[in-house]
Amino acid sequence: MTILWFLFKEGFKGLLRSKYSGAFSIIIIAISIIMIGFGYIIARDTLFMVENIRSQFDVDIFILSTAGSDEIIAFDKKLRQMNEIERVIYISPETAAKKFKQEFGEDILDILDYNPLPPSFTISLKPIYRNLMSVEAIANILQRDSVVDEVKYRKNFLIILEKYQRIILACVLIVFAVLTLISIILTSNSIKMTIFARRDIISTMKLIGATNRFVKTPFVIEGTLEGGLGALLASLIIYGIIYVQNTYLQSFFDYTLNVSYQYYIALLLLGSFLGWVGSRQAIRRFL
Amino acid sequence: MISFINATCSFRKNAGVKNLNFSIDDGEFVFLTGPSGAGKSTLLRLIYMDLFPEKGKVLIRDYDSAKIKDRQIPFLRRKVGMIFQDFQLLKDRNVYQNVAISLYASHYKTREIKSRVYDILNQVGLGHRVHHKPLELSGGEQQRVAIARALVKEPIVLLADEPTGNLDPRVSIELINLLYKINKKGTAVIVATHNYSLIKRVPGARLIQMNDGEIASIT
Ligand SMILES: Nc1ncnc2c1ncn2[C@@H]1O[C@H](COP(=O)(O)OP(=O)(O)OP(=O)(O)O)[C@@H](O)[C@H]1O
Ligand SMILES: [Mg+2]
């Protein structure tokens, strides 16, 4: 107990003693966290937008005109029982004719004397099935049903969409990894400066019989505290920017930034983690 | 307790120490003399295993320089008190903390640390300087802080490298008397010094004279 308390106090005092170099580390960590924090929001919202071109994943099912109304009702029921489907809309020949008129400005009955439009269903898939593979699989199953004439979906578009989604995701991951790595290096270097100013303590401690762990722990605690404080600073800045955007600039950009309190907690943890890893890295070469 | 067996430690050709062969027993008082560059500091560093011989070996109680593991070195150093020529005190901590840190590093309990530190500071005559920072003390006082820090963990041997280097003659004599008093209580003391006049101050002390990294004479 004595030893833990002592090491913790040492770490805390170290933070107060380090003044400028400590403040510098905190600012470096804050900048890192701001980069990562906004990087996350941008990545999240981009992916969300892509995900949410939801109508692009809708599937149209055209029914044979020979199908009777009880067969159609049975098919409708079957669709609604399918696990993958979020929403089913039935479009009768009459509705289809109305839509035709809305779209083309002419009544199909005037042109052809009869309504050639078949009854159809438009189904929306649940979010996790909104990918080319699932859409294809579901379309294949439905195609085999005896009342179904044709199943249509935007195959080419989906192929392109999936490709871009993958590229975006890969970019996001790479950018994130690079940002985190840069952050760790920056943090570690600024903490190294803090430690460098006090390297005499380290050599003295080792000469009077301190173990590496004893020498190291206060510096790691100090680094972790610096990380936490840096993240706190970053959180305040991000909070401020989000507040300004949502209150004053929203009308210009038509974009609302939404983050939960968990987001800020994650930033604080991330900052502490950066400080922890950075200081462990930094102290290594002084031991 | 301390044995050098054919120990050689050279930084480059003709520097460092070679073929050291001698033993020091519990409770002895040993002066280590010789001209500058003779290898006195190197010999002391071999004892607290800041350096290792490339030939031969150094034995301190159960610790063997040829076999010791990195993680055992702190435990050896808790048994060896060291007083450095430049004191190596922590400038941003007061006298109490400078001494106490040695006990914290050895995992003592807070209460015991307190009583031991006050006790040793009184013994070296610094009871009234507990809350001063090193730079607010005279050279002689800093020297005594260094001694207190070395002694507080009750080492089996106390090493002092040039302890009177920048002290005036009167303070030097006081210091030697203090080391003698400590030695009388059973701690072995090894003092490296140029100052031959100190030697006669300690009756019965052994003398190791070094020259060019070798032992020139030993009593
Ligand atoms: N770190 C080092 N690197 C290279 N050579 C060294 C190193 N330390 C000591 N030496 C050399 O080893 C020899 C012995 O040095 P040492 O410091 O032991 O002498 P000393 O007897 O303590 O001298 P002084 O009385 O001046 O303190 C000297 O020739 C010195 O130049
Ligand atoms: Mg020397």
Side-chain angles (χ1 to χ4, degrees):
Chain A
M1 259 332 279
T2 293
I3 190 95
L4 280 180
W5 177 235
F6 174 80
L7 293 174
F8 190 80
K9 272 199 308 197
E10 282 291 303
F12 200 78
K13 278 193 239 160
L15 183 63
L16 299 179
R17 280 196 200 106
S18 61
K19 298 197 184 90
Y20 296 114
S21 56
F24 183 72
S25 298
I26 290 173
I27 290 169
I28 290 289
I29 291 171
I31 292 171
S32 304
I33 296 289
I34 290 173
M35 289 193 311
I36 294 177
F38 275 118
Y40 167 78
I41 295 179
I42 291 166
R44 182 197 64 178
D45 288 1
T46 313
L47 287 176
F48 187 73
M49 260 158 49
V50 175
E51 280 276 295
N52 269 264
I53 313 175
R54 56 173 68 203
S55 64
Q56 302 301 343
F57 290 89
D58 286 356
V59 177
D60 293 320
I61 308 160
F62 297 96
I63 305 297
L64 290 167
S65 42
T66 53
S69 60
D70 44 344
E71 278 175 303
I72 293 175
I73 289 167
F75 184 67
D76 181 281
K77 203 170 162 198
K78 179 181 157 187
L79 286 180
R80 286 176 200 281
Q81 274 164 358
M82 281 177 72
N83 204 20
E84 299 88 339
I85 296 174
E86 186 177 72
R87 193 172 45 117
V88 179
I89 297 169
Y90 172 65
I91 298 161
S92 66
E94 295 73 35
T95 321
K98 249 182 247 162
K99 266 197 175 165
F100 184 91
K101 197 174 170 187
Q102 268 168 18
E103 252 167 70
F104 301 102
E106 278 185 88
D107 200 331
I108 192 136
L109 292 171
D110 291 346
I111 306 169
L112 290 174
D113 268 356
Y114 73 101
N115 184 356
L117 298 170
S120 69
F121 289 89
T122 298
I123 57 171
S124 303
L125 301 177
K126 286 185 182 158
I128 50 164
Y129 298 105
R130 281 179 208 150
N131 56 63
L132 184 60
M133 221 171 74
S134 306
V135 173
E136 244 168 0
I138 291 163
N140 280 337
I141 293 168
L142 296 173
Q143 184 72 65
R144 285 199 291 270
D145 199 285
S146 58
V147 297
V148 173
D149 181 21
E150 200 183 1
V151 178
K152 276 195 168 165
Y153 57 93
R154 295 166 192 78
K155 184 167 183 169
N156 290 333
F157 180 82
L158 291 188
I159 290 171
I160 293 169
L161 186 68
E162 293 226 327
K163 202 171 97 189
Y164 280 109
Q165 218 171 354
R166 221 166 282 153
I167 291 172
I168 291 173
L169 194 68
C171 289
V172 165
L173 288 178
I174 290 169
V175 168
F176 248 81
V178 170
L179 278 183
T180 310
L181 201 67
I182 291 175
S183 303
I184 289 177
I185 291 170
L186 282 177
T187 308
S188 165
N189 274 318
S190 64
I191 291 176
K192 221 173 267 170
M193 282 173 25
T194 314
I195 298 174
F196 186 77
R198 282 177 284 158
R199 65 196 180 287
D200 58 322
I201 297 179
I202 294 171
S203 62
T204 302
M205 297 258 263
K206 291 202 67 172
L207 287 176
I208 61 178
T211 55
N212 277 353
R213 187 203 295 257
F214 183 90
V215 176
K216 186 167 74 176
T217 307
F219 286 102
V220 174
I221 290 173
E222 182 183 332
T224 310
L225 286 171
E226 280 169 359
L229 287 175
L232 192 66
L233 183 63
S235 297
L236 290 175
I237 292 171
I238 291 177
Y239 183 85
I241 291 174
I242 289 179
Y243 181 80
V244 169
Q245 155 67 22
N246 288 355
T247 334
Y248 302 109
L249 303 177
Q250 200 184 3
S251 46
F252 297 108
F253 297 116
D254 188 28
Y255 176 51
T256 310
L257 283 164
N258 265 318
V259 292
S260 58
Y261 72 93
Q262 284 104 323
Y263 169 79
Y264 291 109
I265 291 175
L267 290 188
L268 288 180
L269 290 177
L270 187 67
S272 308
F273 176 74
L274 279 184
W276 184 70
V277 174
S279 52
R280 282 174 62 96
Q281 282 292 327
I283 187 85
R284 279 226 308 243
R285 55 167 57 196
F286 293 99
L287 288 175
Chain B
M1 176 186 60
I2 297 174
S3 302
F4 278 61
I5 300 165
N6 256 324
T8 296
C9 176
S10 53
F11 302 98
R12 56 196 139 78
K13 226 177 174 177
N14 298 324
V17 294
K18 31 186 188 295
N19 296 324
L20 299 183
N21 265 307
F22 66 91
S23 300
I24 294 172
D25 283 332
D26 281 338
E28 287 191 325
F29 198 120
V30 180
F31 280 107
L32 192 59
T33 64
S36 187
K40 304 180 293 290
S41 300
T42 306
L43 188 151
L44 294 181
R45 287 173 72 192
L46 285 166
I47 295 178
Y48 59 86
M49 299 201 186
D50 193 29
L51 289 175
F52 290 89
E54 71 246 17
K55 274 207 300 256
K57 59 185 174 178
V58 179
L59 304 174
I60 319 288
R61 285 268 165 95
D62 305 331
Y63 296 99
D64 180 340
S65 65
K67 293 183 192 142
I68 194 166
K69 303 223 165 48
D70 273 356
R71 63 185 159 74
Q72 291 175 312
I73 291 175
F75 297 93
L76 162 72
R77 289 183 183 168
R78 288 173 198 177
K79 294 205 171 74
V80 180
M82 284 162 295
I83 304 165
F84 306 97
Q85 182 164 6
D86 56 354
F87 315 142
Q88 300 223 15
L89 300 175
L90 305 176
K91 289 177 208 63
D92 55 355
R93 286 156 214 249
N94 66 30
V95 169
Y96 176 88
Q97 291 162 334
N98 262 286
V99 177
I101 197 148
S102 160
L103 293 180
Y104 278 111
S106 306
H107 300 213
Y108 282 81
K109 295 250 177 296
T110 308
R111 194 177 311 152
E112 193 178 355
I113 291 174
K114 228 179 198 155
S115 71
R116 274 185 180 234
V117 173
Y118 280 109
D119 197 40
I120 202 80
L121 285 175
N122 284 325
Q123 275 186 48
V124 300
L126 281 176
H128 59 301
R129 287 279 190 268
V130 173
H131 299 295
H132 286 63
K133 297 269 171 69
L135 294 178
E136 299 159 7
L137 300 174
S138 73
E141 286 170 329
Q142 291 182 35
Q143 184 69 273
R144 279 181 277 158
V145 179
I147 294 173
R149 185 181 63 192
L151 276 182
V152 74
K153 57 190 174 183
E154 297 183 342
I156 55 176
V157 57
L158 186 64
L159 312 179
D161 195 354
E162 220 66 75
T164 59
N166 35 25
L167 301 181
D168 71 39
R170 190 179 56 82
V171 185
S172 298
I173 291 167
E174 270 173 29
L175 178 84
I176 283 300
N177 289 339
L178 178 62
L179 292 179
Y180 185 50
K181 218 170 72 188
I182 291 159
N183 175 249
K184 278 276 152 286
K185 289 184 186 166
T187 311
V189 175
I190 304 176
V191 179
T193 185
H194 299 284
N195 193 340
Y196 287 86
S197 70
L198 296 174
I199 296 168
K200 59 180 184 295
R201 297 252 155 212
V202 182
R206 290 178 65 191
L207 178 63
I208 298 176
Q209 280 190 285
M210 296 190 70
N211 202 359
D212 262 346
E214 287 178 293
I215 293 179
S217 79
I218 183 164
T219 59

